[in-house]
Amino acid sequence: VCSMGNSTSRLYSALAKTLSSSAVPQHQDCLEQLDSARLDPIDPKDLLEECQIVLQKRPPRFQRDFVDLKKNVASNHRPIRVMQWNILAQALGEGKDNFVQCPMEALKWEERKCLILEEILAYKPDILCLQEVDHYFDTFEPLLSRLGYQCTFFPKPWSPCLDVEQNNGPDGCALFFLKDRFELINSANIRLTAMKLKTNQVAIAQTLKCHETGRLFCIAVTHLKARTGWERFRSAQGCDLLQNLKSITQGAKIPLIICGDFNAEPTEEVYREFSNSSLNLNSAYKLLSPDGQSEPPYTTWKIRPSGECRHTLDYIWYSQHALNVNSALGLLTEEQIGPNRLPSFNYPSDHLSLVCDFSFNPDPDRLL
């Protein structure tokens, strides 16, 4: 198995000459866009082949199918595919998370990053929203920019990754969109507040213009505070994010999609705040349930020293008056996940990726 950056690899050897882990900025400069104009474009098929060479001794990817959710709604444009994923920060996976059933070999970055890239390349999102990104500058920005994405990263002010020896800098949220499909109109990096205090959690919100339709919409990505006992804190962070998004979308005049790891089950207050918001939001993955009203049974499933953790924490919210969900990617079954749960040699994160295809409602005002 060849490793990333090996001289036999056409793509990664070129990358190794431009950026390395040791070159990661550790201060405010890392909020700035990197100049990737010097890097040649990559054919996605070539990158996928590179990943498969690295992964040839690992089991094949799990098969997941899209579920058609269209309700006889005609669309006059190509759907917009949005992918939400907490990819598991490398420093946390190796140094803090204590996955007792996951072999350390399965967490090796040289192979795990290929599993992450393989998942992204398989579903070809137009917009990609990631959390726990701690290899932005040496992996995701240089590679995805060469695939045609515009890239934005906003790290946590006090990332727990920095407590881990040989870390690769802070983790944070990252947002990527295809430049041939969208134009960036406005971008906001939001440090969330709770009880009037600035917190360690962040969000990115960008207003995009769809080239094909001329329609504006806002895409946001966030990652709220983790752990039991912080429910009121998450609620306050959610209220702050909603207030920011109300301003950015001019009170829901601009359609909105919010992706995130909310670290909150549907029973929590922050979930109810989003459900009952004046922004008229719905959770896309509820539409996979028979009644269209129930969230999936899990979006993360792992085993730690404290026991088995099976929770629904990840969501794609959308403006239900202005957007239609055409399809959603089905989740992994318990049988696919297996008794040792996630992450594993088959799957690189403890969270499942969520993918939805959206289309614009031709008459959004009628449903407000």
Side-chain angles (χ1 to χ4, degrees):
V1 179
C2 71
S3 65
M4 302 283 241
N6 188 294
S7 60
T8 60
S9 165
R10 288 174 290 115
L11 299 178
Y12 296 120
S13 61
L15 272 178
K17 295 173 185 174
T18 58
L19 293 167
S20 66
S21 297
S22 60
V24 176
Q26 297 290 335
H27 46 75
Q28 197 70 12
D29 291 349
C30 65
L31 303 188
E32 301 298 323
Q33 298 283 342
L34 292 180
D35 178 16
S36 297
R38 65 190 182 280
L39 300 176
D40 295 330
I42 300 173
D43 186 322
K45 292 180 182 177
D46 290 341
L47 181 56
L48 185 58
E49 285 178 12
E50 290 283 344
C51 290
Q52 289 169 345
I53 290 170
V54 176
L55 297 171
Q56 58 187 318
K57 291 186 179 178
R58 291 222 182 188
R61 283 184 65 256
F62 292 121
Q63 177 63 39
R64 297 169 67 185
D65 297 317
F66 281 89
V67 178
D68 189 350
L69 299 170
K70 289 196 291 279
K71 298 177 181 176
N72 301 318
V73 177
S75 174
N76 59 358
H77 67 89
R78 281 185 299 155
I80 297 169
R81 176 162 292 181
V82 176
M83 184 173 188
Q84 147 62 28
W85 200 11
N86 178 332
I87 61 171
L88 175 61
Q90 184 64 22
L92 301 184
E94 286 188 305
K96 284 203 167 195
D97 277 329
N98 299 316
F99 301 118
V100 295
Q101 297 295 103
C102 178
M104 285 302 291
E105 296 80 36
L107 296 173
K108 286 170 54 179
W109 180 242
E110 295 304 310
E111 295 179 10
R112 197 172 77 85
K113 67 181 169 185
C114 289
L115 274 179
I116 295 170
L117 290 167
E118 189 181 43
E119 182 96 345
I120 294 167
L121 291 164
Y123 300 122
K124 303 173 185 173
D126 300 301
I127 299 170
L128 174 62
C129 296
L130 302 180
Q131 300 87 37
E132 289 199 23
V133 179
D134 63 346
H135 274 271
Y136 176 80
F137 292 101
D138 67 351
T139 300
F140 294 104
E141 195 278 345
L143 281 174
L144 291 174
S145 65
R146 295 173 71 186
L147 291 170
Y149 290 90
Q150 183 154 328
C151 314
T152 304
F153 175 61
F154 193 24
K156 295 172 185 171
W158 310 296
S159 168
C161 292
L162 300 178
D163 297 333
V164 179
E165 271 191 67
Q166 298 181 320
N167 66 76
N168 197 58
D171 77 300
C173 292
L175 199 160
F176 309 85
F177 67 84
L178 286 176
K179 291 184 286 187
D180 66 355
R181 290 215 65 186
F182 312 107
E183 175 189 351
L184 179 62
I185 303 301
N186 182 58
S187 184
N189 289 341
I190 303 165
R191 184 173 170 187
L192 299 175
T193 63
M195 297 95 170
K196 299 185 179 179
L197 297 173
K198 290 187 181 294
T199 73
N200 194 35
Q201 280 65 48
V202 301
I204 303 168
Q206 297 189 331
T207 302
L208 305 181
K209 182 178 181 179
C210 175
H211 291 316
E212 189 176 344
T213 65
R215 298 276 296 270
L216 295 179
F217 67 100
C218 177
I219 178 76
V221 55
T222 194
H223 188 185
L224 301 188
K225 173 66 181 170
R227 295 195 173 89
T228 304
W230 292 85
E231 291 80 6
R232 287 185 60 204
F233 198 82
R234 281 191 286 274
S235 175
Q237 288 182 327
C239 285
D240 182 51
L241 179 57
L242 286 169
Q243 282 300 120
N244 276 279
L245 294 174
K246 283 175 189 174
S247 174
I248 290 168
T249 63
Q250 302 168 29
K253 288 183 181 177
I254 298 172
L256 174 63
I257 300 170
I258 309 163
C259 294
D261 175 357
F262 280 60
N263 275 307
E265 291 272 11
T267 52
E268 273 199 34
E269 181 62 32
V270 67
Y271 182 94
R272 291 192 290 274
E273 287 162 358
F274 274 72
S275 294
N276 300 326
S277 165
S278 62
L279 293 172
N280 196 25
L281 301 171
N282 192 22
S283 175
Y285 264 71
K286 283 167 56 176
L287 302 180
L288 288 181
S289 65
D291 61 359
Q293 299 298 315
S294 305
E295 292 289 354
Y298 51 83
T299 62
T300 179
W301 201 342
K302 53 207 160 196
I303 303 174
R304 284 177 166 153
S306 57
E308 194 155 350
C309 306
R310 178 180 179 267
H311 300 291
T312 300
L313 307 177
D314 306 271
Y315 306 96
I316 299 179
W317 297 92
Y318 69 102
S319 302
Q320 56 188 334
H321 63 285
L323 296 165
N324 300 308
V325 184
N326 297 0
S327 62
L329 183 65
L331 298 172
L332 293 178
T333 65
E334 180 176 357
E335 182 181 20
Q336 285 176 310
I337 290 172
N340 294 332
R341 309 315 183 198
L342 304 173
S344 66
F345 283 110
N346 300 72
Y347 195 80
S349 177
D350 54 333
H351 289 252
L352 299 177
S353 62
L354 308 182
V355 186
C356 289
D357 290 336
F358 290 96
S359 60
F360 290 108
N361 189 321
D363 188 14
D365 295 333
R366 183 176 59 83
L367 299 176
L368 263 176

